[in-house]
Amino acid sequence: MKTNSVTGSFTLSSIVGEVVHDPAFGSFGRLLFPVDMPVPDSMTLKEVTSSRTYLWYSNLHPDKTVEVVNKLKRRALSGERIFYPIYPEEEIRHDPDLADTGLFCLHGKPGEKFAIINAGGGFSYVAAMHDAFPHALELARRGYTAFVLIYRPTHPYQDLARAIQLIEANAEILRVNPDGYSLWGGSAGARMAAALGNAKNLRYLAGDVPQAAMVVTQYTGYDEVSRSDAPTYACVGTNDRIAAWRIMERRLRALESYGIPTRFHVYKGLHHGFGIGTGTVAEGWLNDAVAF
């Protein structure tokens, strides 16, 4: 069954091309799926939600992909703005690659704190549909405004810095609290969150903007430690062959030695890239992160 009307809902058998070119998503629909690797328009949403597309990831759920695109579409059709470029047209004309960036937004309660979520993908592509949008849905349900960053794998830190600047400068328009925000990320995205959660790195790349109140990192081998790092929540699986859980544990212990609050969870049997953990022993970890 395909989506034949402007207001119709997508299904597992809807194809990527229908989503990408749906009028509700304007010119940014293509950024819902990885733009740094070939994703045929003819693939169904069921087919695209697999490790053939989302390399290095586990626990993929096609139903979640359908939920994400339908909820974004409903928000857009209701008049809510769901996408913000992070670079102006003038800069994009000078460097066309900048067109492959932006912030998808799921608004929460006006005046509430916000989160920026950075998907992984080994700095080869952006796995947002599995590693960021589901997190954003859950945070928005809790009243927080959640931004999903689509970044260039070649310039991830620059793009995240620009996104933070944009949100902070437009906090009133975006109806978010500019203080006490959080940075989230999985795998490569966790490296981004941890690096820009560091006050010195943030100042160097983004200037005079507030430091994140908290960083949430999933399954990453990032091991740099500084007294300038933000409070950190981390989780990983014991069977992760990409990000060893002991490396994450050592980093958080080092942060604790500096008096920086941390919380760490390692889940038995889980592999790399389990996302929000639906149907696994990690299910519910996001609630714990929010409480932290």
Side-chain angles (χ1 to χ4, degrees), residues 115-152:
I116 303 177
I117 309 163
N118 313 286
F123 296 125
S124 296
Y125 74 104
V126 181
M129 190 58 73
H130 171 66
D131 209 27
F133 281 114
H135 304 61
L137 288 180
E138 293 301 321
L139 290 173
R141 287 190 183 107
R142 290 158 178 77
Y144 302 102
T145 292
F147 295 95
V148 171
L149 176 63
I150 308 301
Y151 59 90
R152 294 167 298 163

Side-chain angles (χ1 to χ4, degrees), residues 235-246 264-272 274 281:
C235 61
V236 65
T238 58
N239 285 1
D240 196 318
R241 300 293 180 258
I242 297 175
W245 68 269
R246 294 188 185 279
F264 178 62
H265 288 286
V266 57
Y267 295 104
K268 187 174 182 179
L270 288 194
H271 297 276
H272 192 75
F274 54 81
V281 294

Side-chain angles (χ1 to χ4, degrees), residues 14-258:
S14 296
I15 60 173
V16 167
E18 292 179 75
V19 178
V20 168
H21 301 294
D22 192 288
F25 298 138
S27 62
F28 54 83
R30 65 189 185 85
L31 298 178
L32 289 164
F33 301 97
V35 296
D36 300 288
M37 61 169 58
V39 178
D41 276 3
S42 59
M43 292 184 77
T44 67
L45 296 186
K46 181 177 181 179
E47 291 168 340
V48 78
T49 313
S50 75
S51 58
R52 293 190 302 276
T53 300
Y54 297 100
L55 304 177
W56 310 302
Y57 280 94
S58 62
N59 196 42
L60 295 148
H61 294 275
D63 287 338
K64 181 58 68 174
T65 298
V66 173
E67 180 186 358
V68 166
V69 295
N70 279 329
K71 291 201 170 180
L72 286 172
K73 179 175 178 176
R74 284 197 291 272
R75 283 177 174 245
L77 291 177
S78 71
E80 182 176 322
R81 185 170 179 180
I82 63 168
F83 183 79
Y84 297 86
I86 60 174
Y87 294 100
E89 286 294 331
E90 182 179 351
E91 290 188 47
I92 293 174
R93 283 195 298 271
H94 180 71
D95 182 358
D97 287 345
L98 297 177
D100 290 340
T101 68
L103 285 166
F104 283 93
C105 179
L106 286 159
H107 289 282
K109 296 177 182 177
E112 188 53 271
K113 295 179 176 64
F114 69 89
I116 303 177
I117 309 163
N118 313 286
F123 296 125
S124 296
Y125 74 104
V126 181
M129 190 58 73
H130 171 66
D131 209 27
F133 281 114
H135 304 61
L137 288 180
E138 293 301 321
L139 290 173
R141 287 190 183 107
R142 290 158 178 77
Y144 302 102
T145 292
F147 295 95
V148 171
L149 176 63
I150 308 301
Y151 59 90
R152 294 167 298 163
T154 53
H155 295 83
Y157 303 101
Q158 176 183 322
D159 292 344
L160 176 54
R162 179 62 71 96
I164 296 170
Q165 290 173 322
L166 176 75
I167 297 169
E168 290 288 341
N170 296 279
E172 186 173 347
I173 296 172
L174 294 169
R175 299 174 301 158
V176 296
N177 184 343
D179 299 316
Y181 70 94
S182 55
L183 295 175
W184 298 57
S187 197
R191 288 178 175 268
M192 295 165 59
L196 271 293
N198 177 281
K200 292 182 179 179
N201 293 339
L202 180 67
R203 191 179 311 115
Y204 177 75
L205 289 173
D208 187 22
V209 296
Q211 181 183 16
M214 179 181 75
V215 168
V216 178
T217 59
Q218 291 186 269
Y219 31 80
T220 178
Y222 185 83
D223 60 0
E224 295 184 23
V225 180
S226 165
R227 295 182 185 275
S228 300
D229 286 331
T232 301
Y233 181 100
C235 61
V236 65
T238 58
N239 285 1
D240 196 318
R241 300 293 180 258
I242 297 175
W245 68 269
R246 294 188 185 279
I247 291 176
M248 295 187 73
E249 183 182 50
R250 281 198 299 271
R251 178 173 186 264
L252 266 67
R253 285 180 176 174
L255 291 175
E256 286 181 341
S257 73
Y258 291 147

